[in-house]
Amino acid sequence: MDFSLPLLAAFAIAFAIGSNDTSNSFGICVGCGLLTIRRAIYLLFVLVFLGLLFGGGRVLHTVGGEIVELDEIVVSASLLVSSAAIVAANYLRAPVSSHQAIVMSLIGSAFALGKEIDMSTVTKIILSWIISPFGALVLAIGMYWLMEKILSQKPALRVERVLRILLIIGASVIGFNTGANELATALAPAIWFGAMNLLEGAIFGSAMLFLGAWLVSVRVAEVVGKGITALDPFSGFAAQFAAGITVLLFTFLGMPVSTTYCTVGAITGVGLYKGLSGVRFAFIKRIVASWVLTPATAFTTSFAITLFVSQLIA
């Protein structure tokens, strides 16, 4: 069996995630001025490798083994379409859910070929997409309120130093989640199909993600870190912690949830708690629009391309 096209597609999606998802892990740190984007990318590479290798098993099983029946065309078409969708959204400075693009492309391709689709698993995944950003929003508000109560009486300089350290730790948790959830979702079809093993996926997937982050991700990192609401280390940590805990929970459940969703939801929660005037709703409208358009476009495009290719080689 020829694995060249599935491998090409898998590496393309890893590059696409790097171009988009550095913003999820370290966009807040960049927005607060704690890290330069280049240093954040180096740290992300290590964390993603470890996350996929040691934490990605459940998500790999859900996406690779439960959603649809896989074959070479389904894997190749779905991953190529979803990678193109992520890169295009990144170019437009719109943080997008790679999970939506990948899962809906898989479903569109399988549907075109009449493959089996597990609607029970699909329903659980869609529900997790809806619940997770709102959960991160509520958790961020609670975290911010709790921090105000505990830290408000402490010297400001001391509090800021502690928060800067905690913010890096929180960002590192999300970086680990990027490997355990985001990259695991992306490479699951190729790994489950047998195009590569887990170690090969961790090595080459992390390398391609690093390349995508280095070349493209600066645009989106600035939008997430600075575009939704003004962030300082105090509010940044509340949002970072909430997003990280939310993604970790769903990763443990084997659900491929969007780190982008959770990060944006958490930042929005902090902004709402500080006052409606501090939230730039124009940015949120653009992000929500991309969340609606991405799955529809991914499904339709993957369906059409798969149908065309299958008829061409029949």
Side-chain angles (χ1 to χ4, degrees):
M1 184 178 296
D2 184 11
F3 290 137
S4 57
L5 193 55
L7 284 173
L8 176 63
F11 294 150
I13 194 68
F15 177 91
I17 288 177
S19 73
N20 184 72
D21 287 357
T22 305
S23 61
N24 302 327
S25 303
F26 292 101
I28 294 174
C29 290
V30 172
C32 293
L34 297 182
L35 287 175
T36 65
I37 185 64
R38 299 307 183 192
R39 289 181 179 178
I41 290 170
Y42 285 123
L43 183 56
L44 180 67
F45 170 76
V46 176
L47 293 168
V48 166
F49 173 81
L50 296 175
L52 178 59
L53 196 60
F54 298 109
R58 296 192 180 192
V59 173
L60 283 169
H61 181 269
T62 298
V63 178
E66 295 184 7
I67 298 177
V68 301
E69 179 185 354
L70 299 176
D71 66 13
E72 183 178 353
I73 296 177
V74 170
V75 173
S76 302
S78 61
L79 292 184
L80 287 172
V81 168
S82 52
S83 63
I86 295 168
V87 171
N90 181 74
Y91 179 78
L92 297 173
R93 292 180 180 263
V96 66
S97 168
S98 58
H99 295 84
Q100 281 191 337
I102 295 165
V103 171
M104 296 309 294
S105 293
L106 277 171
I107 295 171
S109 184
F111 187 69
L113 296 178
K115 298 288 186 180
E116 182 180 353
I117 301 173
D118 188 338
M119 292 308 300
S120 175
T121 299
V122 172
T123 300
K124 292 177 183 177
I125 291 172
I126 293 175
L127 285 175
S128 72
W129 290 347
I130 297 170
I131 295 170
S132 56
F134 289 102
L137 185 150
V138 173
L139 188 58
I141 292 174
M143 186 64 189
Y144 193 91
W145 174 85
L146 183 62
M147 289 168 62
E148 279 189 327
K149 297 295 183 181
I150 296 175
L151 300 177
S152 59
Q153 305 301 319
K154 304 294 183 182
L157 185 59
R158 182 181 177 184
V159 170
E160 183 170 347
R161 287 175 178 172
V162 171
L163 286 175
R164 286 175 177 269
I165 296 172
L166 292 176
L167 192 57
I168 296 295
I169 294 173
S172 299
V173 171
I174 293 187
F176 182 88
N177 290 339
T178 300
N181 202 302
E182 301 276 348
L183 192 59
T185 299
L187 299 184
I191 292 175
W192 207 261
F193 185 57
M196 68 179 97
N197 59 40
L198 179 58
L199 180 59
E200 291 169 340
I203 294 172
F204 294 108
S206 299
M208 291 302 296
L209 187 145
F210 172 84
L211 187 61
W214 184 268
L215 295 177
V216 190
S217 70
V218 175
R219 298 169 64 90
V220 176
E222 291 175 348
V223 172
V224 172
K226 303 177 182 178
I228 297 172
T229 190
L231 291 173
D232 52 58
F234 192 92
S235 56
F237 173 69
Q240 194 78 273
F241 179 84
I245 292 299
T246 302
V247 175
L248 268 179
L249 174 61
F250 280 94
T251 300
F252 177 76
L253 297 174
M255 288 293 102
V257 300
S258 171
T259 309
T260 303
Y261 273 18
C262 295
T263 302
V264 171
I267 295 174
T268 303
V270 169
L272 290 174
Y273 182 80
K274 293 164 66 176
L276 290 174
S277 60
V279 180
R280 301 183 181 104
F281 287 100
F283 280 99
I284 296 177
K285 289 179 181 179
R286 286 176 55 192
I287 293 169
V288 171
S290 74
W291 288 347
V292 174
L293 292 174
T294 298
T297 302
F299 176 89
T300 304
T301 305
S302 187
F303 175 85
I305 290 176
T306 301
L307 194 62
F308 173 77
V309 170
S310 64
Q311 292 179 347
L312 191 65
I313 64 177

